[in-house]
Amino acid sequence: MVSILAGSILAVHQLSEAASNRHLAVADRLFEELNSPENIEARRWIFHNLPADPEVGSRTLAPEGQAAVKRVLNSLDHIAFLTQSGWIPDEMIMPWINPMVVKAWAKLETYVDYESRKRGEPDYYQHTRELAERCREWRKHNVPNAEITWIKDAL
């Protein structure tokens, strides 16, 4: 009986450690994704250069702008995949991913909506939409007075 109990305790400990290692690996991938120099530069370009009107912007974006928008959207989609329900606790990642996601989505949401209608694809970047909404909700409950501030010469 004692050996069964000891074995059970050891198994639970090993499962807990495996989950913790998996969460750490996912968090590391998220950090690398969001903080890569290319993604930081793409977000910065969007924050300061993306026209507010998606109809105008989608017609006038230079290749650099198109690449920045696509890079950030694909990055957010990858983040959405890595953070899907049950893979990693929101409490572990939301404090540091939500500002990047919320700010990027504030600029890109109208473009995704516009492109979704234009393509007739209601599921266009659907997972990114869901991630952005989770981040907005988390932020509303945990950082209730936070406002987005656009700073031209930010680090």
Side-chain angles (χ1 to χ4, degrees):
M1 181 73 154
V2 171
S3 62
I4 292 174
L5 182 60
S8 298
I9 290 171
L10 180 63
V12 167
H13 176 71
Q14 287 176 338
L15 287 174
S16 176
E17 190 172 312
S20 182
N21 287 339
R22 180 174 47 91
H23 292 159
L24 187 57
V26 171
D28 187 51
R29 294 267 316 266
L30 294 171
F31 187 84
E32 286 180 18
E33 178 86 24
L34 286 169
N35 291 301
S36 74
E38 300 84 9
N39 282 328
I40 291 170
E41 188 57 37
R43 283 193 310 271
R44 183 172 285 137
W45 189 96
I46 288 168
F47 296 163
H48 298 296
N49 299 301
L50 190 66
D53 183 346
E55 192 170 343
V56 171
S58 64
R59 285 194 319 263
T60 62
L61 279 182
E64 174 191 22
Q66 290 174 338
V69 168
K70 200 64 175 169
R71 173 175 285 283
V72 172
L73 284 173
N74 287 343
S75 175
L76 293 176
D77 222 25
H78 188 216
I79 299 304
F81 172 75
L82 291 173
T83 61
Q84 59 188 304
S85 182
W87 283 24
I88 188 166
D90 277 355
E91 305 81 44
M92 180 184 239
I93 57 167
M94 282 296 169
W96 60 273
I97 72 166
N98 90 80
M100 291 176 268
V101 173
V102 168
K103 284 181 84 167
W105 193 246
K107 295 286 187 170
L108 293 171
E109 182 176 18
T110 58
Y111 278 79
V112 171
D113 290 345
Y114 174 78
E115 193 71 19
S116 174
R117 285 189 306 274
K118 188 169 87 172
R119 292 170 179 242
E121 296 174 2
D123 58 344
Y124 184 73
Y125 283 105
Q126 182 61 38
H127 297 290
T128 300
R129 290 175 195 275
E130 292 165 5
L131 170 66
E133 189 53 39
R134 278 182 29 228
C135 287
R136 281 180 179 161
E137 282 298 310
W138 186 92
R139 191 169 184 83
K140 184 170 66 174
H141 294 294
N142 293 279
V143 192
N145 297 322
E147 294 182 21
I148 294 176
T149 304
W150 306 107
I151 301 173
K152 187 69 170 169
D153 297 323
L155 294 176

